[in-house]
């Protein structure tokens, strides 16, 4: 039997015996001695019985709530409708004065916890419409279609960019010991831009971009890496598809003409849709792998990036493509808005 429950039942039993003995004319000291209960406790129980006619816990004990059930429901409705709404001022305008802490506790009890909002692209109405159309058009594509897509993108890796997200385990007064610090330089120490690609069968080529990439530079990167990656990854020569986003370099007039001359099939892509490109997951993995190796200069950063890109397992790439339909379903469910991907 649960010990707390047993103790509660025993206490009720002793309380009943105290009242029974008192009714039979026993004195406080006698009851105390017979039941092994302090005299003050016996006196308190008997006085309570005389005043209230019972020894049960009485209602209305403790501090009265500042937020009643009606106010709580109103707060929940307000936050559900507008998560960033300033609740305290709204309640004060309605004649209810409560602290931020009370409001937070009320919301927390209802499962509405304070969290930092996730950063997502600024989607306008036309973006949402294009994303929704893309998802509906492709949601029933067979899996072999996605297995023959060559996913491409660019990303920038900074030398010391993520130092603030690292953690060290140290004692209170050891913050500035060299082993517990991360060196920083002005402007982040520089960065390297990379173009990369992958498919269901693994990672393709990765190339660093020197200087500012223009449309001619982009065409050169595609010339050197796309077909090489198609061959390396074993994509179907007749049905493979190139995915690229709508960066101005990719959609420039001369780039479009160049691509038409190549006779490649280009996947029509909705703007502002990084959550639809699974390569974003690989970029995140690559950056963390590079930063874990603590490159001290840009040459090392570039070297580590190529090494870590080659280490990404094919199973990871396969998993991203096998579950790609879930992304489209999520876009449809959100009516074109940003998704968790």
């Amino acid at each position: 039997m649960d010990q707390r429950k047993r103790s509660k039942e025993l206490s009720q039993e002793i309380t009943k015996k105290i009242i029974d003995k008192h009714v039979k004319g026993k004195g406080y000291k006698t009851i105390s001695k017979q039941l092994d209960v302090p005299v003050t406790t016996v006196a308190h129980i008997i006085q309570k019985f005389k005043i209230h006619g019972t020894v049960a816990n009485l209602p209305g004990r403790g501090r009265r709530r500042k937020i009643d059930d009606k106010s709580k429901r109103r707060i929940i409705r307000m936050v559900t409708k507008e998560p960033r709404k300033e609740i305290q001022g709204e309640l004060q305008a309605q004649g209810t004065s409560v602290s931020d802490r009370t409001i937070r506790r009320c919301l927390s009890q209802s499962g509405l916890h304070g969290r930092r909002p996730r950063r997502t692209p600024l989607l306008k109405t036309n973006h949402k419409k294009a994303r929704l159309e893309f998802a509906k058009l492709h949601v029933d594509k067979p899996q072999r279609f996605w297995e023959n897509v060559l996913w491409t993108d660019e990303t920038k890796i900074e030398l010391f960019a993520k130092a603030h997200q690292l953690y060290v385990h140290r004692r209170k007064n050891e913050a500035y010991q060299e082993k517990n610090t991360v060196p920083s330089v002005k402007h982040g120490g520089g960065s390297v831009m990379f173009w990369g690609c992958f498919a269901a069968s693994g990672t393709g080529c990765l190339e660093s971009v020197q200087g500012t990439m223009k449309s001619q530079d982009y065409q050169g990167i595609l010339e050197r890496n796309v077909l090489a990656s198609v061959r390396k990854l074993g994509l179907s020569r007749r049905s493979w598809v190139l995915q690229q986003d709508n960066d101005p370099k990719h959609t420039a007039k001369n780039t479009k003409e160049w691509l038409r001359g190549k006779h490649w099939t280009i996947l029509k892509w909705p703007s502002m849709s990084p959550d639809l490109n699974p390569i974003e997951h690989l970029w995140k993995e690559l950056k963390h792998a590079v930063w874990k190796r603590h490159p001290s200069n840009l040459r090392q950063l570039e070297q580590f990036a190529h090494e870590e890109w080659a280490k990404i397992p094919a199973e990871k790439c396969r998993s991203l493509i096998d579950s790609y339909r879930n992304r489209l379903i999520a876009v449809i469910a959100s009516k074109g808005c940003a998704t968790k991907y």
Side-chain angles (χ1 to χ4, degrees):
M1 184 182 290
D2 182 72
Q3 186 64 35
R4 288 181 296 176
K5 186 176 180 182
R6 183 178 178 84
S7 298
K8 186 176 181 180
E9 291 173 351
L10 186 61
S11 176
Q12 291 174 349
E13 184 181 347
I14 290 176
T15 301
K16 188 174 182 300
K17 286 180 179 180
I18 290 173
I19 299 303
D20 289 343
K21 290 182 181 293
H22 169 68
V23 171
K24 291 176 182 178
K26 301 288 185 180
Y28 290 5
K29 290 184 179 180
T30 303
I31 296 172
S32 172
K33 188 174 182 180
Q34 289 179 354
L35 299 179
D36 192 25
V37 176
V39 176
T40 53
T41 303
V42 173
H44 174 74
I45 291 171
I46 293 172
Q47 287 299 316
K48 182 178 180 180
F49 179 76
K50 287 179 178 179
I51 296 171
H52 301 288
T54 180
V55 291
N57 289 333
L58 299 174
R61 296 172 64 86
R63 184 178 176 181
R64 187 177 178 182
R65 284 183 175 183
K66 278 204 165 188
I67 299 179
D68 58 18
D69 290 340
K70 184 178 179 181
S71 297
K72 185 176 181 179
R73 289 194 297 270
R74 185 166 70 247
I75 290 171
I76 292 170
R77 282 197 304 269
M78 290 163 61
V79 172
T80 303
K81 187 177 180 180
E82 297 181 57
R84 287 177 283 183
K85 193 175 185 67
E86 209 286 304
I87 302 300
Q88 189 180 30
E90 186 82 10
L91 291 176
Q92 285 179 345
Q94 297 174 6
T96 304
S97 179
V98 291
S99 67
D100 279 335
R101 184 177 179 182
T102 300
I103 294 170
R104 286 197 302 270
R105 183 169 59 247
C106 167
L107 293 172
S108 181
Q109 290 169 352
S110 302
L112 295 166
H113 306 288
R115 297 288 186 267
R116 290 183 179 179
R118 299 294 174 88
R119 294 184 177 276
T120 58
L122 178 61
L123 296 175
K124 299 180 181 178
T125 303
N126 60 316
H127 297 141
K128 296 176 186 177
K129 182 180 178 182
R131 285 164 53 82
L132 190 57
E133 288 176 354
F134 176 87
K136 288 180 176 179
L137 183 63
H138 293 86
V139 70
D140 292 323
K141 287 281 188 182
Q143 186 61 26
R144 64 179 177 274
F145 173 83
W146 301 114
E147 290 172 355
N148 278 297
V149 174
L150 185 69
W151 303 90
T152 72
D153 194 24
E154 297 92 25
T155 194
K156 180 171 68 173
I157 305 181
E158 296 182 350
L159 191 57
F160 297 117
K162 296 294 178 180
H164 64 283
Q165 292 186 5
L166 300 176
Y167 292 89
V168 293
H169 299 281
R170 61 171 177 79
R171 299 186 188 280
K172 185 176 180 180
N173 298 319
E174 297 178 350
Y176 288 94
Q177 289 187 10
E178 188 173 358
K179 64 181 181 181
N180 296 326
T181 63
V182 176
S184 62
V185 295
K186 290 183 177 180
H187 313 300
S191 61
V192 179
M193 178 73 76
F194 292 93
W195 175 95
C197 63
F198 92 105
S201 51
T203 55
C205 298
L206 181 75
E207 181 171 325
S208 60
V209 179
Q210 305 301 323
T212 302
M213 187 195 297
K214 298 179 181 179
S215 56
Q216 292 84 357
D217 303 316
Y218 178 65
Q219 294 161 27
I221 288 173
L222 297 183
E223 183 73 55
R224 292 187 292 273
N225 295 286
V226 167
L227 291 182
S229 296
V230 169
R231 289 190 292 269
K232 174 189 173 184
L233 299 172
L235 303 187
S236 171
R237 292 288 184 90
R238 292 184 177 181
S239 59
W240 74 274
V241 177
L242 175 68
Q243 180 277 334
Q244 61 175 7
D245 61 26
N246 294 318
D247 184 283
K249 298 181 291 293
H250 308 169
T251 57
K253 184 177 179 180
N254 59 356
T255 300
K256 287 182 177 180
E257 291 175 356
W258 185 87
L259 286 170
R260 276 196 292 270
K262 291 293 182 181
H263 304 290
W264 295 343
T265 303
I266 311 297
L267 184 62
K268 187 177 179 181
W269 195 251
S271 299
M272 309 295 283
S273 299
D275 55 339
L276 286 174
N277 192 347
I279 201 172
E280 297 292 344
H281 288 260
L282 299 188
W283 287 145
K284 184 177 180 180
E285 192 169 305
L286 175 66
K287 290 175 183 181
H288 283 293
V290 169
W291 286 323
K292 279 182 181 178
R293 295 179 65 176
H294 306 296
S296 58
N297 54 58
L298 296 180
R299 184 177 298 175
Q300 271 194 348
L301 186 151
E302 186 175 342
Q303 176 191 337
F304 293 166
H306 280 93
E307 291 172 359
E308 296 300 330
W309 183 253
K311 290 180 186 177
I312 293 176
E315 294 78 16
K316 175 71 174 178
C317 301
R318 167 64 63 177
S319 175
L320 289 171
I321 303 307
D322 284 348
S323 61
Y324 189 74
R325 187 169 183 269
N326 294 338
R327 296 172 186 259
L328 302 176
I329 293 172
V331 170
I332 294 170
S334 67
K335 298 180 179 178
C337 292
T339 66
K340 67 178 181 179
Y341 298 98

